[in-house]
Amino acid sequence: MIVKVLELEKDKVRLIIQGEGHTFMNALVEEILSDPDVDVAKYMIEFQFSDPELLVTTKGRKNPLPIIKKACRRVSGHCDELIKGLKKR
């Protein structure tokens, strides 16, 4: 996965996440929004075949990058749980 940083401030980041679509971005934004330090988390896909742009802003000037990383780990953990559940059947 290739990530391009468009803007990075103390409490705001805008990223392009190449090759991803609505499925991954919806899951990621939902996990990011579960963090109480997050003010805004949303994504936009401007055209049908363009890469999504993720915007995250935080409260209290907290760095959004660690929050995004933790959310990615939680999404991955949910997938691991699903795989384990499917293996049992």
Side-chain angles (χ1 to χ4, degrees), residues 56-74:
V56 178
T57 62
T58 60
K59 303 171 187 171
R61 300 184 58 82
K62 297 211 176 190
N63 186 345
L65 293 179
I67 292 170
I68 295 170
K69 289 176 187 177
K70 288 177 186 175
C72 287
R73 287 187 193 105
R74 289 194 303 271

Side-chain angles (χ1 to χ4, degrees), residues 20-33:
E20 295 302 328
H22 291 287
T23 304
F24 175 75
M25 296 305 296
N26 280 321
L28 180 59
V29 166
E30 184 176 333
E31 283 299 322
I32 293 170
L33 286 171

Side-chain angles (χ1 to χ4, degrees), residues 1-8 13-20 24-25 28 32 51-56 64-65 68-69 72:
M1 180 180 299
I2 298 172
V3 178
K4 293 181 180 179
V5 178
L6 300 177
E7 181 179 358
L8 179 58
V13 67
R14 286 187 327 133
L15 307 171
I16 296 287
I17 303 175
Q18 290 185 347
E20 295 302 328
F24 175 75
M25 296 305 296
L28 180 59
I32 293 170
D51 293 317
E53 179 180 320
L54 175 66
L55 169 69
V56 178
L65 293 179
I68 295 170
K69 289 176 187 177
C72 287

Side-chain angles (χ1 to χ4, degrees), residues 37-53:
D37 291 324
V38 172
D39 187 32
V40 173
K42 64 180 183 175
Y43 76 94
M44 179 183 75
I45 298 178
E46 190 170 352
F47 302 107
Q48 183 176 0
F49 298 109
S50 63
D51 293 317
E53 179 180 320

